[in-house]
Short mmCIF file of all heavy atoms in Angstrom, two decimals:
data_model
loop_
_atom_site.label_atom_id
_atom_site.label_comp_id
_atom_site.label_asym_id
_atom_site.label_seq_id
_atom_site.Cartn_x
_atom_site.Cartn_y
_atom_site.Cartn_z
N GLN A 1027 77.90 92.08 98.06
CA GLN A 1027 79.30 91.82 97.71
C GLN A 1027 79.86 90.74 98.63
O GLN A 1027 79.43 90.57 99.76
CB GLN A 1027 80.13 93.10 97.86
CG GLN A 1027 79.79 94.13 96.79
CD GLN A 1027 80.80 95.27 96.76
OE1 GLN A 1027 81.99 95.08 96.93
NE2 GLN A 1027 80.31 96.48 96.53
N PHE A 1032 81.15 92.67 104.61
CA PHE A 1032 82.60 92.61 104.82
C PHE A 1032 82.85 92.32 106.30
O PHE A 1032 82.98 93.22 107.11
CB PHE A 1032 83.23 93.95 104.41
CG PHE A 1032 83.09 94.23 102.94
CD1 PHE A 1032 81.96 94.86 102.43
CD2 PHE A 1032 84.08 93.82 102.05
CE1 PHE A 1032 81.82 95.10 101.08
CE2 PHE A 1032 83.94 94.06 100.68
CZ PHE A 1032 82.82 94.69 100.21
N GLN A 1035 86.23 93.33 108.65
CA GLN A 1035 86.42 94.63 109.31
C GLN A 1035 85.65 94.74 110.62
O GLN A 1035 85.66 95.81 111.24
CB GLN A 1035 85.94 95.75 108.38
CG GLN A 1035 86.82 96.00 107.17
CD GLN A 1035 88.02 96.88 107.53
OE1 GLN A 1035 88.50 96.85 108.65
NE2 GLN A 1035 88.49 97.62 106.56
N ARG A 1039 85.62 98.02 113.03
CA ARG A 1039 84.45 98.92 113.16
C ARG A 1039 84.18 99.20 114.63
O ARG A 1039 83.92 100.34 115.03
CB ARG A 1039 83.23 98.30 112.48
CG ARG A 1039 83.38 98.20 110.97
CD ARG A 1039 82.07 97.82 110.30
NE ARG A 1039 81.74 96.42 110.37
CZ ARG A 1039 81.90 95.53 109.37
NH1 ARG A 1039 82.42 95.92 108.22
NH2 ARG A 1039 81.54 94.28 109.51
N ASP A 1052 82.08 108.56 106.61
CA ASP A 1052 82.38 107.15 106.33
C ASP A 1052 82.58 107.06 104.81
O ASP A 1052 81.60 107.07 104.06
CB ASP A 1052 81.23 106.26 106.80
CG ASP A 1052 81.43 104.79 106.44
OD1 ASP A 1052 82.50 104.44 105.91
OD2 ASP A 1052 80.50 103.98 106.70
N PHE A 1054 83.80 105.27 101.31
CA PHE A 1054 83.73 103.89 100.81
C PHE A 1054 82.88 103.09 101.81
O PHE A 1054 83.32 102.11 102.39
CB PHE A 1054 85.12 103.24 100.66
CG PHE A 1054 86.07 104.00 99.78
CD1 PHE A 1054 87.03 104.85 100.33
CD2 PHE A 1054 86.00 103.86 98.40
CE1 PHE A 1054 87.90 105.55 99.51
CE2 PHE A 1054 86.90 104.55 97.57
CZ PHE A 1054 87.85 105.40 98.14
N SER A 1055 81.67 103.56 102.01
CA SER A 1055 80.86 103.09 103.16
C SER A 1055 80.16 101.76 102.92
O SER A 1055 79.73 101.13 103.88
CB SER A 1055 79.81 104.14 103.48
OG SER A 1055 78.89 104.24 102.39
N TYR A 1056 80.00 101.34 101.61
CA TYR A 1056 79.14 100.18 101.33
C TYR A 1056 77.80 100.42 102.02
O TYR A 1056 77.27 101.53 101.94
CB TYR A 1056 79.84 98.88 101.74
CG TYR A 1056 79.15 97.62 101.25
CD1 TYR A 1056 78.79 97.46 99.91
CD2 TYR A 1056 78.85 96.59 102.12
CE1 TYR A 1056 78.16 96.32 99.47
CE2 TYR A 1056 78.22 95.42 101.68
CZ TYR A 1056 77.87 95.30 100.36
OH TYR A 1056 77.24 94.16 99.92
N HIS A 1057 77.24 99.46 102.78
CA HIS A 1057 75.92 99.70 103.38
C HIS A 1057 76.02 100.37 104.76
O HIS A 1057 75.21 100.14 105.63
CB HIS A 1057 75.08 98.42 103.41
CG HIS A 1057 75.73 97.27 104.11
ND1 HIS A 1057 75.40 95.96 103.85
CD2 HIS A 1057 76.69 97.22 105.05
CE1 HIS A 1057 76.13 95.17 104.62
NE2 HIS A 1057 76.90 95.91 105.34
N SER A 1059 78.48 100.15 107.13
CA SER A 1059 78.87 99.33 108.29
C SER A 1059 79.70 100.12 109.30
O SER A 1059 79.46 100.03 110.50
CB SER A 1059 79.63 98.08 107.86
OG SER A 1059 79.45 97.80 106.51
N PHE A 1060 80.69 100.89 108.83
CA PHE A 1060 81.42 101.75 109.77
C PHE A 1060 80.49 102.87 110.24
O PHE A 1060 80.45 103.20 111.42
CB PHE A 1060 82.67 102.36 109.11
CG PHE A 1060 83.88 101.47 109.17
CD1 PHE A 1060 84.20 100.64 108.11
CD2 PHE A 1060 84.71 101.46 110.29
CE1 PHE A 1060 85.33 99.81 108.15
CE2 PHE A 1060 85.83 100.63 110.35
CZ PHE A 1060 86.14 99.80 109.27
N VAL A 1074 79.65 107.92 102.16
CA VAL A 1074 79.94 108.20 100.75
C VAL A 1074 80.31 106.90 100.05
O VAL A 1074 81.21 106.18 100.50
CB VAL A 1074 81.12 109.20 100.63
CG1 VAL A 1074 81.39 109.53 99.16
CG2 VAL A 1074 80.85 110.46 101.44
N ASP A 1075 79.61 106.61 98.96
CA ASP A 1075 79.93 105.41 98.18
C ASP A 1075 79.45 105.62 96.74
O ASP A 1075 78.55 106.42 96.49
CB ASP A 1075 79.24 104.18 98.79
CG ASP A 1075 79.92 102.87 98.38
OD1 ASP A 1075 79.68 102.39 97.25
OD2 ASP A 1075 80.69 102.31 99.19
N SER A 1076 80.05 104.85 95.82
CA SER A 1076 79.65 104.98 94.41
C SER A 1076 78.51 104.02 94.06
O SER A 1076 77.99 104.07 92.96
CB SER A 1076 80.85 104.73 93.49
OG SER A 1076 81.39 103.46 93.78
N SER A 1077 78.13 103.15 95.01
CA SER A 1077 77.05 102.21 94.73
C SER A 1077 75.73 102.69 95.35
O SER A 1077 75.60 102.76 96.58
CB SER A 1077 77.41 100.83 95.29
OG SER A 1077 76.24 100.06 95.47
N ALA A 1101 78.68 109.28 95.47
CA ALA A 1101 79.75 110.07 94.82
C ALA A 1101 81.00 109.24 94.66
O ALA A 1101 81.17 108.21 95.32
CB ALA A 1101 80.06 111.30 95.67
N ASN A 1102 81.87 109.73 93.77
CA ASN A 1102 83.20 109.16 93.67
C ASN A 1102 84.00 109.69 94.86
O ASN A 1102 84.15 110.90 95.03
CB ASN A 1102 83.83 109.61 92.34
CG ASN A 1102 85.24 109.06 92.19
OD1 ASN A 1102 86.02 109.01 93.15
ND2 ASN A 1102 85.56 108.65 90.99
N ALA A 1103 84.52 108.80 95.67
CA ALA A 1103 85.18 109.18 96.92
C ALA A 1103 86.39 110.09 96.67
O ALA A 1103 86.65 111.02 97.45
CB ALA A 1103 85.61 107.95 97.68
N PHE A 1104 87.12 109.83 95.59
CA PHE A 1104 88.31 110.64 95.30
C PHE A 1104 87.90 112.10 95.06
O PHE A 1104 88.50 113.02 95.60
CB PHE A 1104 89.06 110.08 94.09
CG PHE A 1104 89.75 108.77 94.39
CD1 PHE A 1104 89.07 107.57 94.30
CD2 PHE A 1104 91.08 108.75 94.80
CE1 PHE A 1104 89.69 106.37 94.59
CE2 PHE A 1104 91.72 107.55 95.09
CZ PHE A 1104 91.02 106.36 94.99
N ASP A 1123 87.78 103.17 103.81
CA ASP A 1123 87.85 101.72 103.60
C ASP A 1123 87.71 101.40 102.11
O ASP A 1123 86.71 100.83 101.68
CB ASP A 1123 86.75 101.02 104.42
CG ASP A 1123 86.86 99.52 104.37
OD1 ASP A 1123 87.93 99.00 103.99
OD2 ASP A 1123 85.86 98.84 104.70
N PRO A 1124 88.73 101.78 101.32
CA PRO A 1124 88.61 101.61 99.87
C PRO A 1124 88.66 100.14 99.46
O PRO A 1124 89.14 99.30 100.22
CB PRO A 1124 89.85 102.34 99.33
CG PRO A 1124 90.83 102.30 100.45
CD PRO A 1124 90.03 102.35 101.72
N PRO A 1125 88.17 99.84 98.24
CA PRO A 1125 88.35 98.48 97.72
C PRO A 1125 89.85 98.26 97.45
O PRO A 1125 90.61 99.21 97.52
CB PRO A 1125 87.57 98.51 96.39
CG PRO A 1125 87.55 99.95 95.99
CD PRO A 1125 87.55 100.75 97.26
N1 LIG B 1478 83.40 99.88 104.64
C1 LIG B 1478 82.62 98.78 104.13
C2 LIG B 1478 83.29 98.05 102.98
C3 LIG B 1478 83.73 98.91 101.84
S1 LIG B 1478 84.09 97.99 100.40
C4 LIG B 1478 82.31 97.81 105.24
O1 LIG B 1478 82.98 97.81 106.30
O2 LIG B 1478 81.37 97.03 105.07
C5 LIG B 1478 84.48 99.24 99.28
C6 LIG B 1478 83.32 100.10 98.84
O3 LIG B 1478 83.87 101.12 98.01
C7 LIG B 1478 82.25 99.42 98.01
O4 LIG B 1478 81.00 99.62 98.63
C8 LIG B 1478 82.29 100.12 96.64
O5 LIG B 1478 80.98 100.36 96.11
C9 LIG B 1478 82.94 101.44 97.00
N2 LIG B 1478 83.71 102.12 95.96
C10 LIG B 1478 84.59 101.60 95.08
N3 LIG B 1478 85.19 102.58 94.36
C11 LIG B 1478 84.66 103.75 94.79
C12 LIG B 1478 84.88 105.12 94.45
N4 LIG B 1478 85.78 105.49 93.53
N5 LIG B 1478 84.17 106.05 95.10
C13 LIG B 1478 83.27 105.72 96.05
N6 LIG B 1478 83.04 104.43 96.42
C14 LIG B 1478 83.73 103.47 95.79
#
Side-chain angles (χ1 to χ4, degrees):
Q1027 290 192 38
F1032 295 87
Q1035 289 278 30
R1039 293 191 281 259
D1052 176 5
F1054 303 98
S1055 66
Y1056 191 51
H1057 56 204
S1059 343
F1060 275 95
V1074 182
D1075 201 281
S1076 56
S1077 159
N1102 179 320
F1104 289 85
D1123 186 17

